[in-house]
């Protein structure tokens, strides 16, 4: 039994080492890198599209899309004006630092102000794998239900920013915002939170202001 634990620890340590190397590369290039995580369908790609629309004339933006298969999301990011790289994980349900390292080698990082990494849709293991991004960002969406912080605490404890998407649907759902936010507060009392709608654009100004400030600080 202890042998098995030590193997797992070695894998984590190797990943963390590569994540540090990725971070050093991103710091040197001065490109703010955000790691977007969420369950499938929460609106990661829609958030990227709307963010690109708002910022593509002001900043040079690259997108790295992680998916088990297909290039659908990278194609959408490219259509919205980003330089896009697709990572197909071949079955793996999260990105790791080595996958990001390979994708970074396809970009001239110094050319960019912002790099958005769209992780594989999954609320579980992406939280356990650092990839070297400056900010870890979670998108929760109202149709997923208000109990998600209670069910997936590790994810909520390991992110810097929370976007609550699809607030335009609140009147149609039994989503209890107070119950949801109470759960978030228990896990991460000072988590920066933006309620948004990628459909209507509601709440986007606050999110964009936060992002622009972070880009300028990188
Ligand atoms: Mg997507
Ligand atoms: Zn996984």
């Amino acid at each position: 039994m202890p042998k098995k634990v030590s193997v797992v620890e070695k894998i984590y340590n190797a990943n963390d080492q590569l994540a540090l190397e990725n971070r050093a590369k991103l710091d040197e290039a001065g490109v703010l890198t955000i790691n977007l995580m969420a369950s499938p369908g929460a609106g990661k790609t829609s958030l990227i599209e709307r963010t690109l629309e708002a910022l593509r004339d002001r900043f040079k933006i690259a997108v790295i899309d992680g998916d088990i298969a297909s290039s659908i999301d990278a194609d959408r990011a490219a259509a919205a004006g980003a330089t896009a790289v697709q990572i197909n994980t071949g079955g793996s349900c999260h990105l790791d630092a080595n996958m990001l390292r390979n994708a970074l080698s396809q970009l001239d990082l110094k050319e960019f102000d912002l790099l958005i990494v769209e992780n594989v849709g999954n609320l579980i293991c992406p939280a356990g794998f650092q990839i070297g991004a400056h900010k870890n960002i979670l998108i929760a969406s109202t149709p997923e239900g208000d109990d998600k912080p209670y069910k997936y605490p590790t994810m909520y404890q390991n992110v810097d920013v929370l976007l609550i998407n699809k607030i335009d649907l609140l009147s149609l759902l039994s989503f209890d915002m107070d119950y949801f936010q109470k759960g978030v507060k228990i896990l991460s009392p000072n988590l920066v939170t933006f309620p948004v709608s990628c459909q209507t654009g509601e709440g986007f100004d606050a999110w964009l202001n936060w992002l622009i400030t972070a880009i300028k600080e990188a």
Side-chain angles (χ1 to χ4, degrees):
M1 287 298 277
K3 213 170 180 179
K4 196 174 177 186
V5 171
S6 73
V7 170
V8 171
E9 277 174 2
K10 269 184 197 158
I11 292 167
Y12 273 100
N13 289 341
N15 184 74
D16 285 353
Q17 185 54 43
L18 284 178
L20 287 174
E21 290 173 26
N22 288 343
R23 171 68 73 87
K25 238 181 258 179
L26 297 164
D27 282 343
E28 196 194 332
V31 53
L32 176 78
T33 302
I34 62 174
N35 174 24
L36 274 190
M37 297 175 284
S39 54
K44 292 183 299 301
T45 311
S46 299
L47 182 97
I48 290 169
E49 285 174 325
R50 199 158 189 127
T51 301
L52 285 170
E53 260 171 51
L55 300 184
R56 66 188 168 206
D57 294 336
R58 275 177 79 178
F59 300 104
K60 296 266 290 179
I61 304 172
V63 175
I64 294 174
D65 270 290
D67 276 298
I68 288 172
S70 89
S71 65
I72 294 169
D73 286 356
D75 293 345
R76 283 173 64 182
T83 299
V85 176
Q86 182 78 48
I87 301 174
N88 282 140
T89 63
S92 175
C93 50
H94 59 271
L95 292 181
D96 63 28
N98 188 48
M99 292 179 207
L100 183 66
R101 181 171 69 162
N102 291 336
L104 292 179
S105 71
Q106 298 178 49
L107 292 166
D108 184 0
L109 293 174
K110 285 193 173 64
E111 279 206 6
F112 298 99
D113 306 303
L114 170 65
L115 170 62
I116 303 173
V117 180
E118 179 177 351
N119 214 310
V120 181
N122 177 352
L123 283 180
I124 306 165
C125 37
F129 284 83
Q130 291 299 320
I131 58 172
H134 296 103
K135 300 287 182 188
N136 290 312
I137 298 180
L138 172 64
I139 306 176
S141 70
T142 56
E144 294 168 58
D146 50 23
D147 56 358
K148 290 303 168 288
Y150 303 92
K151 289 184 159 182
Y152 299 95
T154 311
M155 177 59 86
Y156 282 81
Q157 279 167 328
N158 286 293
V159 291
D160 305 296
V161 174
L162 170 66
L163 290 139
I164 307 170
N165 188 27
K166 308 192 189 182
I167 55 169
D168 53 307
L169 299 179
L170 277 172
S171 63
L172 305 173
L173 303 167
S174 58
F175 187 95
D176 182 339
M177 187 63 87
D178 289 339
Y179 177 67
F180 177 87
Q181 291 200 322
K182 195 176 141 199
V184 173
K185 202 156 189 152
I186 292 165
L187 297 166
S188 185
N190 300 312
L191 188 56
V192 178
T193 302
F194 300 110
V196 299
S197 165
C198 292
Q199 283 298 312
T200 67
E202 192 181 347
F204 252 70
D205 284 350
W207 154 243
L208 292 173
N209 284 339
W210 178 88
L211 188 57
I212 290 166
T213 302
I215 291 170
K216 288 179 176 168
E217 284 170 359

